[in-house]
Coordinates of all heavy atoms in Angstrom, one line a residue:
I30 N -14.1 -6.7 -9.3 CA -15.1 -6.0 -8.4 C -15.0 -6.6 -7.1 O -15.2 -7.8 -6.9 CB -16.5 -6.2 -9.0 CG1 -16.7 -5.5 -10.4 CG2 -17.6 -5.5 -8.0 CD1 -18.0 -5.8 -11.1
G31 N -14.6 -5.9 -6.1 CA -14.5 -6.4 -4.7 C -15.9 -6.4 -4.1 O -16.5 -5.4 -4.0
V32 N -16.3 -7.6 -3.7 CA -17.7 -7.8 -3.2 C -17.7 -7.6 -1.7 O -17.1 -8.5 -1.0 CB -18.3 -9.1 -3.7 CG1 -19.7 -9.3 -3.1 CG2 -18.4 -9.1 -5.2
T33 N -18.4 -6.6 -1.2 CA -18.4 -6.2 0.2 C -19.6 -6.7 1.0 O -19.7 -6.4 2.2 CB -18.3 -4.7 0.3 OG1 -19.4 -4.1 -0.5 CG2 -17.0 -4.2 -0.1
K34 N -20.5 -7.5 0.4 CA -21.7 -7.9 1.1 C -21.5 -8.6 2.4 O -22.2 -8.5 3.4 CB -22.7 -8.6 0.2 CG -22.3 -10.0 -0.2 CD -23.1 -10.5 -1.4 CE -22.7 -11.9 -1.7 NZ -23.1 -12.3 -3.1
V35 N -20.4 -9.5 2.4 CA -20.2 -10.3 3.6 C -19.8 -9.4 4.8 O -19.9 -9.8 6.0 CB -19.2 -11.4 3.3 CG1 -17.8 -10.9 3.2 CG2 -19.3 -12.5 4.4
G55 N -18.6 -4.0 -5.3 CA -19.9 -4.6 -5.5 C -20.6 -5.0 -4.3 O -20.0 -5.5 -3.4
D56 N -21.9 -4.7 -4.2 CA -22.6 -5.1 -3.0 C -24.1 -5.5 -3.4 O -24.6 -4.9 -4.4 CB -22.7 -4.1 -1.9 CG -22.9 -4.7 -0.5 OD1 -24.0 -5.2 -0.2 OD2 -21.9 -4.7 0.3
S57 N -24.7 -6.4 -2.7 CA -26.0 -6.9 -3.1 C -27.1 -6.0 -2.5 O -28.2 -6.0 -2.9 CB -26.2 -8.3 -2.6 OG -25.8 -8.4 -1.2
L76 N -24.3 -2.4 -7.9 CA -25.3 -3.2 -7.2 C -25.4 -4.6 -7.9 O -25.7 -4.7 -9.0 CB -26.6 -2.5 -7.3 CG -27.8 -3.2 -6.5 CD1 -27.5 -3.2 -5.0 CD2 -29.1 -2.6 -6.8
I77 N -25.0 -5.6 -7.1 CA -24.9 -7.0 -7.8 C -26.1 -7.9 -7.5 O -26.0 -9.0 -7.9 CB -23.6 -7.7 -7.3 CG1 -23.5 -7.9 -5.8 CG2 -22.3 -7.0 -7.8 CD1 -22.5 -8.9 -5.4
R78 N -27.1 -7.3 -6.9 CA -28.4 -8.0 -6.9 C -29.3 -7.2 -7.7 O -29.3 -6.0 -7.7 CB -29.0 -8.1 -5.4 CG -30.3 -8.7 -5.4 CD -30.8 -9.0 -4.0 NE -31.2 -7.8 -3.3 CZ -31.6 -7.8 -2.0 NH1 -31.8 -9.0 -1.4 NH2 -31.9 -6.7 -1.4
V79 N -30.2 -7.9 -8.5 CA -31.1 -7.2 -9.4 C -32.0 -6.3 -8.5 O -32.4 -6.7 -7.5 CB -31.9 -8.1 -10.3 CG1 -31.0 -8.9 -11.3 CG2 -32.8 -9.1 -9.5
V96 N -26.8 -4.7 -11.8 CA -27.0 -5.9 -12.6 C -28.5 -6.0 -12.8 O -29.3 -5.7 -11.9 CB -26.4 -7.2 -12.1 CG1 -24.9 -7.0 -11.8 CG2 -27.1 -7.7 -10.8
M122 N -27.5 -9.7 -16.7 CA -27.1 -11.1 -16.2 C -27.6 -12.1 -17.2 O -28.8 -12.1 -17.6 CB -27.6 -11.3 -14.8 CG -26.9 -10.4 -13.8 SD -25.1 -10.5 -13.7 CE -24.9 -11.9 -12.7
R129 N -30.1 -19.4 -11.2 CA -30.5 -18.3 -10.3 C -31.0 -17.1 -11.2 O -31.8 -17.3 -12.0 CB -29.4 -18.0 -9.3 CG -30.0 -17.2 -8.1 CD -28.9 -16.8 -7.1 NE -28.0 -15.8 -7.5 CZ -27.1 -15.2 -6.7 NH1 -27.0 -15.7 -5.4 NH2 -26.3 -14.2 -7.1
E130 N -30.3 -16.0 -11.1 CA -30.8 -14.8 -11.9 C -30.3 -14.8 -13.3 O -29.3 -15.5 -13.6 CB -30.3 -13.5 -11.2 CG -28.9 -13.1 -11.4 CD -27.9 -13.8 -10.4 OE1 -28.1 -15.0 -10.2 OE2 -27.1 -13.1 -9.9
T157 N -22.4 -13.2 -15.6 CA -23.1 -14.5 -15.3 C -22.6 -14.9 -13.9 O -21.6 -14.4 -13.4 CB -22.8 -15.6 -16.3 OG1 -23.7 -16.6 -16.0 CG2 -21.4 -16.1 -16.3
N158 N -23.4 -15.7 -13.3 CA -23.1 -16.1 -11.9 C -23.4 -17.6 -11.8 O -24.5 -18.1 -12.0 CB -24.0 -15.3 -11.0 CG -23.5 -15.3 -9.6 OD1 -22.4 -14.9 -9.3 ND2 -24.3 -15.9 -8.6
L159 N -22.3 -18.4 -11.4 CA -22.5 -19.8 -11.2 C -22.2 -20.2 -9.8 O -21.9 -19.4 -8.9 CB -21.5 -20.6 -12.1 CG -21.7 -20.4 -13.6 CD1 -20.6 -21.0 -14.4 CD2 -23.1 -20.8 -14.1
K160 N -22.5 -21.5 -9.5 CA -22.2 -22.0 -8.1 C -22.9 -21.2 -7.0 O -22.4 -21.0 -6.0 CB -20.7 -22.2 -7.9 CG -20.6 -23.2 -6.8 CD -19.3 -23.9 -6.5 CE -19.5 -24.8 -5.3 NZ -19.6 -24.2 -4.1
C161 N -24.2 -20.8 -7.3 CA -24.9 -20.1 -6.3 C -26.2 -20.9 -5.9 O -26.5 -21.1 -4.8 CB -25.2 -18.7 -6.6 SG -23.9 -17.6 -6.0
S194 N -18.4 -10.0 -17.2 CA -18.1 -10.4 -15.9 C -18.4 -11.9 -15.7 O -19.6 -12.3 -15.6 CB -18.9 -9.6 -14.9 OG -18.5 -9.8 -13.6
G196 N -18.0 -14.2 -13.3 CA -18.4 -14.9 -12.1 C -17.8 -14.4 -10.8 O -17.4 -13.3 -10.7
N197 N -17.7 -15.4 -9.9 CA -17.3 -15.0 -8.5 C -16.1 -15.9 -8.1 O -15.4 -16.4 -8.9 CB -18.5 -15.3 -7.6 CG -19.1 -16.7 -7.9 OD1 -18.4 -17.7 -8.0 ND2 -20.4 -16.8 -7.9
S198 N -16.0 -16.1 -6.8 CA -14.8 -16.8 -6.3 C -14.7 -18.3 -6.8 O -13.7 -18.9 -6.7 CB -14.8 -16.8 -4.7 OG -14.7 -15.5 -4.2
S199 N -15.8 -18.8 -7.3 CA -15.8 -20.2 -7.8 C -15.1 -20.2 -9.2 O -14.9 -21.2 -9.7 CB -17.2 -20.8 -7.9 OG -18.0 -20.1 -8.9
N200 N -14.8 -19.0 -9.7 CA -14.1 -18.9 -11.0 C -12.6 -19.0 -10.8 O -11.9 -19.0 -11.8 CB -14.4 -17.6 -11.7 CG -15.8 -17.7 -12.3 OD1 -16.8 -17.7 -11.6 ND2 -15.9 -17.6 -13.7
M201 N -12.1 -19.0 -9.6 CA -10.6 -18.9 -9.4 C -9.9 -20.1 -10.0 O -8.8 -19.8 -10.6 CB -10.3 -18.7 -7.9 CG -10.7 -17.4 -7.3 SD -10.1 -15.9 -8.2 CE -8.3 -16.1 -8.0
L216 N -14.0 -10.3 -12.9 CA -14.7 -11.2 -11.9 C -15.2 -10.4 -10.7 O -14.6 -9.3 -10.4 CB -13.8 -12.3 -11.4 CG -13.3 -13.4 -12.5 CD1 -12.3 -14.4 -11.8 CD2 -14.5 -14.2 -13.1
R217 N -16.2 -10.9 -10.1 CA -16.7 -10.2 -8.8 C -16.3 -11.1 -7.7 O -16.8 -12.2 -7.6 CB -18.2 -10.1 -8.9 CG -18.7 -9.5 -10.3 CD -20.2 -9.5 -10.4 NE -20.8 -10.9 -10.3 CZ -20.8 -11.8 -11.3 NH1 -20.4 -11.5 -12.5 NH2 -21.3 -13.0 -11.0
I218 N -15.4 -10.7 -6.8 CA -14.8 -11.6 -5.8 C -15.1 -11.1 -4.4 O -14.7 -10.0 -4.0 CB -13.3 -11.6 -6.1 CG1 -13.0 -12.1 -7.5 CG2 -12.6 -12.5 -5.0 CD1 -13.2 -13.6 -7.7
G219 N -15.7 -12.0 -3.6 CA -15.9 -11.7 -2.2 C -15.1 -12.7 -1.3 O -14.2 -12.4 -0.7
E220 N -15.6 -13.9 -1.4 CA -15.1 -15.0 -0.4 C -13.6 -15.2 -0.5 O -12.9 -15.3 0.5 CB -15.9 -16.3 -0.7 CG -15.5 -17.4 0.3 CD -16.6 -18.4 0.5 OE1 -17.7 -18.3 0.0 OE2 -16.3 -19.5 1.1
A221 N -13.1 -15.3 -1.8 CA -11.6 -15.5 -1.9 C -10.8 -14.3 -1.3 O -9.8 -14.5 -0.7 CB -11.3 -15.6 -3.4
L222 N -11.4 -13.1 -1.4 CA -10.8 -11.9 -0.9 C -10.7 -12.0 0.6 O -9.6 -11.7 1.2 CB -11.6 -10.8 -1.4 CG -11.2 -9.3 -1.2 CD1 -9.8 -9.1 -1.7 CD2 -12.3 -8.4 -1.8
F223 N -11.8 -12.3 1.2 CA -11.9 -12.2 2.7 C -11.4 -13.5 3.4 O -10.9 -13.5 4.5 CB -13.3 -11.9 3.1 CG -13.6 -10.5 2.7 CD1 -14.7 -10.2 1.8 CD2 -12.9 -9.4 3.2 CE1 -15.0 -8.9 1.4 CE2 -13.3 -8.1 2.9 CZ -14.3 -7.9 2.0
H226 N -9.7 -18.5 0.0 CA -9.9 -19.8 -0.7 C -10.8 -19.7 -1.9 O -11.6 -18.8 -2.0 CB -10.3 -20.9 0.2 CG -11.6 -20.6 0.9 ND1 -11.6 -20.6 2.3 CD2 -12.8 -20.3 0.5 CE1 -12.9 -20.3 2.7 NE2 -13.6 -20.1 1.6
E227 N -10.6 -20.6 -2.9 CA -11.6 -20.7 -3.9 C -12.8 -21.4 -3.4 O -12.8 -22.0 -2.3 CB -11.0 -21.4 -5.2 CG -10.2 -22.7 -4.9 CD -11.1 -23.9 -4.8 OE1 -12.2 -23.9 -5.4 OE2 -10.7 -24.9 -4.1
T228 N -13.9 -21.4 -4.1 CA -15.2 -22.0 -3.5 C -15.7 -23.2 -4.2 O -16.9 -23.5 -4.2 CB -16.2 -20.9 -3.5 OG1 -16.4 -20.4 -4.8 CG2 -15.8 -19.7 -2.6
Y340 N -17.9 -18.7 5.4 CA -18.5 -17.5 4.8 C -19.8 -17.1 5.5 O -20.1 -15.9 5.8 CB -18.7 -17.7 3.3 CG -19.2 -16.5 2.6 CD1 -18.3 -15.5 2.1 CD2 -20.5 -16.3 2.3 CE1 -18.7 -14.4 1.4 CE2 -21.0 -15.2 1.6 CZ -20.1 -14.3 1.2 OH -20.5 -13.2 0.5
Ligands
PLP401 C1 -22.1 -12.7 -3.8 C2 -21.9 -12.5 -5.2 C3 -20.6 -12.5 -5.8 C4 -19.4 -12.8 -5.0 O1 -19.3 -14.1 -4.6 P1 -18.1 -14.7 -3.8 O2 -18.3 -16.2 -3.9 O3 -18.2 -14.2 -2.5 O4 -16.9 -14.3 -4.5 C5 -20.5 -12.2 -7.1 N1 -21.6 -12.0 -7.9 C6 -22.9 -12.0 -7.3 C7 -24.0 -11.7 -8.2 C8 -23.1 -12.3 -6.0 O5 -24.3 -12.3 -5.5

Side-chain angles (χ1 to χ4, degrees):
I30 297 174
V32 174
T33 50
K34 68 191 180 200
V35 73
D56 207 290
S57 50
L76 182 66
I77 60 167
R78 176 170 70 178
V79 296
V96 304
M122 294 304 277
R129 199 178 75 174
E130 78 277 44
T157 192
N158 199 58
L159 296 175
K160 203 164 176 288
C161 267
S194 188
N197 52 40
S198 297
S199 71
N200 286 66
M201 290 307 298
L216 292 178
R217 310 171 305 275
I218 302 286
E220 186 158 347
L222 185 57
F223 292 116
H226 53 240
E227 47 81 26
T228 56
Y340 187 83

